[in-house]
Every structure is written in structure tokens, then in C-alpha cells.
Amino acid sequence: MRKPELLAPAGNLEKLKMALIYGADAVYMGGKAFGLRAFSDNFGQDDMRQGIAFAHRLGKKAYITINIFPHNDDLAALPDYIRDVAAMAADAIIVSDLGVYRIARQAAPGLPIHISTQANCTNWATAQFWQELGAARIVLARELSLREIGLIRQKVNVELEAFVHGAMCMSYSGRCLISNYLTGRDANRGECAQPCRWQYHLMEANRPGVYLPVMEDDRGTYIFNSKDLCLLTHLPALVASGLNSFKIEGRMKSVHYVATVVKVYREAIDSYASSPVDFHIRKCWLEELQKVSHREYTTGFYFNKTSAQDQIYTSSSYTQTHDFVGLVKEYDPVSGLAVIEQRNNIKVGEEIEIMQPGQENFRQRITQMVDTGGIPIAVAPHPQQLVTMPLSRPVVPYSMLRRPEKTEPSHE
């Protein structure tokens, strides 16, 4: 079988590297303008150039998001920006707007164009239109069922991509005006304030200032708050649908999230490709997806229309079972010592789990730590503090240290 591409989010250069090292075939990232994630770190020109070059050194691909719905004032700088992206040898750009598509064709005729999910491609006729226009790939709307995707696949030869994991937008393929109305931040130009995750009250017109609670139970309700998408358990059906690319959402998610989710889907795709008949979902994969910050999981629109069961009415908080506490920078196989960059307060005596690309996880206790001055320490409390500690097995750079969570639900 031809393996589908595993496409991962890259909110900054570190996340890009982690996604590719942990098994993604390609990454998608945004610059400082023209993308729909204005509040992620995003990429300056130098970082974008480095990121594309890093992907290519690994034999992988990098796509650049230019998927805002621009107003007139946005267009003046767009042709030069597209030419710059093409000069960096980006593998494709991702666009939503027909005007941006037209400008891209004029500014960089040889640059492949992917059609964003924001363009709302929900049927085969629209897919044929984009194919006739010369698009290299269509990112299908999230509202499609697996059956509908299969029919589109039969009708077009263009590459098809779909989201398989991550946060779900309550509005139609992200075309939302709530943020703009309530905060002045335009979701369709990259500034969504995520008001769908807020808690709401009802106010009667003749009683201003009197807020009536909208309640599912005594904790209130979050009436727009969708569960997260997870299609890991339906991997064979996704492959059979003819999708060319499986996309993970999350350019604003953490390094830990990106590396963990990518590793799980990488292992699952490879396992299925090696022996489809014997394929089964491993318990450890499902456990891994609980370790990262997430909401409860759903299959979205893939198998049925969404219902109340696909919403979370009690909280907007994320849950996770483990905290990311350190990143391996160096490892000496002779001494068994690793240099760790601290990412969360860690102490001698704590049990940690080590996750590394392409290897099984393992657990151990921290028996000792030494700071950069060679002084033994009992705790590493400072952000990105460098410490040296013995590890019970060999590791590679970019391995991650984590521990069972002891704190309240995160808001990552």
C-alpha cells in the first residue's frame, strides 16, 4: 500500500524539528502575516528558511499557510511574500481565497498550491473545480463523512488531505464571526479569541445586568465547546478512503503535544502498512494520547452527524495525565549521563518517563542531578535550566522527559 502522508503542525522552529524528528512526513507553518494563527509564535523569514531547509535535509516537506481571507489592504505585500516563500523552496502554499490563488499563480507560477479547509470544499464538483484550476491538493472540509470523502476520491485525481486529530471548530470549517463580534478579533484573518470555549449566561432584554445562568448542571455549561477529534482507532478506514494526507491540528499546541501525537500516528501508520491483516490498535497508543493536553475525544463528522455527545458542557479545561519536564540536549554513552534542558520543576527522587523518537518509552527515578557548575542539586526550578543526570538506557537528542501529572487541568 501507499502510505498516506503524516502532516504535523509547526508553531515555531522547535516544534517543526520535533514534529519531523518524531516521524512526520511534512509540516505546515505560518509566517508573521497571511496565516490563520496570528497568536502562535509563527516564523520570521530566517526561521522559515531554516525550517524548510531542515525538512529537506530529512527528505521531508514543508508547507506555508497563506490562508487568511484578505481585505484590499492585505494584498499589496502579498506578491513579494509569495515570491520569498517560493525562493526558500517551500513545497507548497496553503490558500483559502481565490484572489490569493490568482496572485500566487502570477507571482510564483511553479509553486504548488494546496486549498485550505477554510475554502469549504464539501463536494466532488468543488473538488473538480479546484483540480481544473490547477491545485495540487485539497484540504477537505471538516464537515465531511468518510463516505463523502470516498466519493470525492472517485471523482478527482488531485491529492486529498483531511484532519484526523486535534481541536474542532464549532463553526462551519472555521468560518466564524463570533470572535469578531465580541472582541473585534477576526477569526478569518488569524486572530480568533476562541469565544466558543467561554462560559455564557442569558440576559433578558427588559432586565439589563441581570444574568440568568444557562445550566446543564450546577457547574454551568459551555454551549459551543466541541470535543477534540481523534481518528486513530479508524486508521484502516481512513486509508481505504483514498486520502493522501492525514493532518494533525495544533500550531498553537506544545512541543510535548506535537511530538507525542506524531509519534503515535507514525507508529500506527507504519504498523498498518507492514501488515494490514494483522493490524490492531495498541493500548499504549491510546494511553499516549491521554498523556498530552486534550479535551475528550470524538470522531467528528466522519461516521455520523454530530450531536450533543460531541460537545463538552461542563468545562473548557483540557485534561492530561503527564507533564513535560525536560528535553535531552546531549547524551554520553560511555558515562550514561544526559544533559537535560528543564521545562518544568523537577526533583531528585521523582519517577519520570523518557520518550524518544522511534523507540519504546521507559521509566526510571531521578537519582541525582548536577548543575552546569558541577554542583549536585536536589531540584531544578529554573525555566530551561541545564542539568546533567544519569539515565538507565541510552537516549538520543530530542528525547523528552515527563512525569505523571500532579497539578490541576491545564489550559495549554
Side-chain angles (χ1 to χ4, degrees), residues 228-246:
D228 283 357
L229 181 67
C230 177
L231 291 174
L232 178 70
T233 57
H234 300 280
L235 188 67
L238 288 171
V239 174
S241 73
L243 287 170
N244 301 93
S245 182
F246 293 174

Side-chain angles (χ1 to χ4, degrees), residues 386-397:
L386 293 179
V387 299
T388 300
M389 68 173 67
L391 296 181
S392 60
R393 298 186 196 176
V395 295
V396 297

Side-chain angles (χ1 to χ4, degrees), residues 3-62:
K3 289 185 188 178
E5 173 188 82
L6 180 58
L7 177 58
N12 58 32
L13 189 57
E14 182 184 40
K15 294 174 188 178
L16 177 147
K17 291 180 178 179
M18 294 295 282
L20 295 171
I21 288 168
Y22 274 82
D25 298 304
V27 291
Y28 61 101
M29 55 179 160
K32 297 294 185 182
F34 306 115
L36 282 179
R37 290 295 180 270
F39 299 104
S40 66
D41 292 344
N42 289 325
F43 286 75
Q45 296 290 83
D46 289 343
D47 279 355
M48 185 178 291
R49 189 175 291 106
Q50 288 183 51
I52 294 169
F54 184 87
H56 291 171
R57 283 197 298 273
L58 296 179
K60 301 184 178 187
K61 295 182 178 181

Side-chain angles (χ1 to χ4, degrees), residues 14 18 255-256 323-329 340-346 380-385 400-401 403:
E14 182 184 40
M18 294 295 282
V255 168
H256 178 220
D323 288 323
F324 170 39
V325 297
L327 184 68
V328 174
K329 306 296 287 185
I340 308 296
E341 184 180 83
Q342 185 260 46
R343 295 300 180 91
N344 207 324
N345 188 303
I346 47 176
H382 306 301
Q384 297 188 287
Q385 179 179 359
M400 306 181 79
L401 279 62
R403 64 164 177 246

Side-chain angles (χ1 to χ4, degrees), residues 9 11 26 109 130 202 237 340 392 408:
W130 286 116
L202 185 67
I340 308 296
S392 60
E408 294 298 314

Side-chain angles (χ1 to χ4, degrees), residues 30 76 105 107 163 177 213 224-225 227 229 262 267 340 352 397 403:
R105 276 282 176 257
F163 283 95
L177 296 177
F224 301 131
N225 192 33
K227 294 180 179 179
L229 181 67
V262 165
E267 291 179 0
I340 308 296
I352 56 170
R403 64 164 177 246

Side-chain angles (χ1 to χ4, degrees), residues 119-386:
N120 310 132
C121 182
T122 59
N123 60 75
W124 59 261
T126 303
Q128 286 183 346
F129 165 81
W130 286 116
Q131 178 177 304
E132 292 164 3
L133 215 57
R137 178 183 294 183
I138 301 167
V139 188
L140 296 171
R142 300 183 197 221
E143 293 76 25
L144 289 176
S145 69
L146 206 59
R147 181 186 60 81
E148 290 174 306
I149 291 172
L151 179 58
I152 293 172
R153 174 74 288 163
Q154 294 172 25
K155 297 282 189 177
V156 297
N157 295 319
V158 68
E159 289 187 359
L160 299 179
E161 174 183 311
F163 283 95
V164 301
H165 194 95
M168 292 283 286
C169 182
M170 55 73 59
S171 191
Y172 202 85
S173 282
R175 299 290 289 271
C176 185
L177 296 177
I178 301 175
S179 177
N180 204 333
Y181 180 76
L182 294 178
T183 71
R185 286 166 44 175
D186 192 340
N188 300 305
R189 300 178 76 192
E191 299 178 343
C192 184
Q194 294 200 12
C196 53
R197 310 297 181 189
W198 300 352
Q199 187 170 12
Y200 288 89
H201 289 80
L202 185 67
M203 188 176 72
E204 199 272 323
N206 294 321
R207 289 187 284 175
V210 178
Y211 298 100
L212 308 174
V214 181
M215 298 183 70
E216 184 75 11
D217 57 25
D218 58 4
R219 289 172 293 184
T221 186
Y222 296 77
I223 56 180
F224 301 131
N225 192 33
S226 173
K227 294 180 179 179
D228 283 357
L229 181 67
C230 177
L231 291 174
L232 178 70
T233 57
H234 300 280
L235 188 67
L238 288 171
V239 174
S241 73
L243 287 170
N244 301 93
S245 182
F246 293 174
K247 188 171 193 173
I248 297 168
E249 181 275 339
R251 276 194 285 148
M252 296 181 70
K253 297 291 182 66
S254 70
V255 168
H256 178 220
Y257 175 95
V258 171
T260 302
V261 175
V262 165
K263 185 182 180 186
V264 167
Y265 278 85
R266 175 79 282 146
E267 291 179 0
I269 291 169
D270 291 349
S271 176
Y272 181 76
S274 67
S275 182
V277 174
D278 299 323
F279 178 76
H280 65 280
I281 299 297
R282 298 174 190 167
K283 181 181 177 182
C284 63
W285 294 338
L286 299 175
E287 291 173 344
E288 284 295 295
L289 295 180
Q290 297 299 320
K291 291 176 181 177
V292 297
S293 180
H294 69 286
R295 302 178 187 91
E296 293 177 56
Y297 288 127
T298 175
T299 56
F301 295 85
Y302 276 81
F303 300 100
N304 47 261
K305 290 185 177 180
T306 57
S307 69
Q309 301 306 311
D310 298 290
Q311 302 293 115
I312 306 172
Y313 296 107
T314 56
S315 171
S316 64
S317 294
Y318 294 82
T319 62
Q320 65 187 59
T321 63
H322 285 64
D323 288 323
F324 170 39
V325 297
L327 184 68
V328 174
K329 306 296 287 185
E330 302 172 19
Y331 176 74
D332 180 1
V334 176
S335 66
L337 296 175
V339 177
I340 308 296
E341 184 180 83
Q342 185 260 46
R343 295 300 180 91
N344 207 324
N345 188 303
I346 47 176
K347 300 176 182 179
V348 171
E350 289 184 321
E351 183 177 70
I352 56 170
E353 180 180 55
I354 292 88
M355 179 181 75
Q356 54 183 326
Q359 303 292 327
E360 289 186 2
N361 300 349
F362 66 93
R363 294 185 179 89
Q364 69 164 72
R365 289 203 175 274
I366 300 175
T367 57
Q368 63 185 57
M369 292 191 296
V370 176
D371 67 15
T372 53
I375 307 300
I377 57 175
V379 60
H382 306 301
Q384 297 188 287
Q385 179 179 359
L386 293 179

